[in-house]
Amino acid sequence: VVASVDPSDSTTPVQDAIDAVEVIGTGLVILPPGTTEITQSPTIENCSLVGYGDNYVAGDSGSELYITSDGTDGITIDSSNGGVNGLYFRDFTLRGPGDSASSASDALVFSGGNNFTNLTISLSILDWRGRAVSSPGSGVVFACEFPHLRIRKVDSGNQTAVIDFSNGAGPG
């Protein structure tokens, strides 16, 4: 199943497209070229997310998901309903609220306590006040690939690290 994001459709166009795919099972959500501004963190359980290229490589023809709300995580990959397996997130920029944020948030969050396997993460993370990647729960992130993970202008502040798998279950 493939769903495209249309920013003019609703106030939560990315989550709406993710929900439409996940109701059927698994599939792909395609971000449009340009910047898609959202205020709420999308939560993904069983769907891949792709764009038209990283903005810093593809220029204006690339895709950018811009989280504008202060203190809101970027994308949450949730394994609470079982493990997450075989998804990919590629060819877009995940941008946060930047230096204007008064509270920290994480750009890419693995949550839910179950395992994450065979994921491919190939994107850029820009302008976050918090961690770029975190796994705060007990889920194990293994057999995952990060072939292109560009991190720019990320201030982890008092957090453990910019990339934090402090639960002892880092990528393998």
Side-chain angles (χ1 to χ4, degrees):
V1 175
V2 176
S4 295
V5 172
D6 182 351
S8 64
D9 271 355
S10 74
T11 58
T12 57
V14 176
Q15 190 65 58
D16 292 348
I18 291 167
D19 292 347
V21 166
E22 290 184 343
V23 161
I24 296 168
T26 187
L28 173 67
V29 170
I30 301 173
L31 295 171
T35 299
T36 301
E37 291 187 19
I38 59 174
T39 58
Q40 296 178 340
S41 171
T43 299
I44 296 173
E45 293 180 28
N46 204 23
C47 150
S48 295
L49 188 62
V50 300
Y52 282 83
D54 172 343
N55 272 13
Y56 292 93
V57 175
D60 290 338
S61 63
S63 299
E64 178 178 78
L65 185 57
Y66 179 25
I67 313 292
T68 60
S69 295
D70 188 5
T72 300
D73 289 332
I75 296 173
T76 299
I77 305 169
D78 182 9
S79 69
S80 60
N81 290 324
V84 173
N85 180 43
L87 303 181
Y88 52 93
F89 305 89
R90 68 168 197 244
D91 299 330
F92 65 94
T93 299
L94 179 58
R95 187 172 127 208
D99 294 336
S100 65
S102 62
S103 59
S105 59
D106 298 337
L108 189 60
V109 180
F110 295 93
S111 81
N114 289 302
N115 294 340
F116 304 87
T117 56
N118 301 312
L119 303 183
T120 302
I121 312 290
S122 187
L123 54 88
S124 287
I125 295 173
L126 171 69
D127 279 343
W128 285 92
R129 186 164 173 229
R131 295 170 291 205
V133 180
S134 69
S135 180
S138 59
V140 178
V141 179
F142 65 94
C144 296
E145 297 180 38
F146 295 78
H148 167 83
L149 183 61
R150 178 178 289 167
I151 300 171
R152 295 185 56 209
K153 296 168 68 175
V154 173
D155 179 2
S156 61
N158 63 355
Q159 301 294 326
T160 308
V162 171
I163 297 177
D164 183 7
F165 293 102
S166 60
N167 64 4

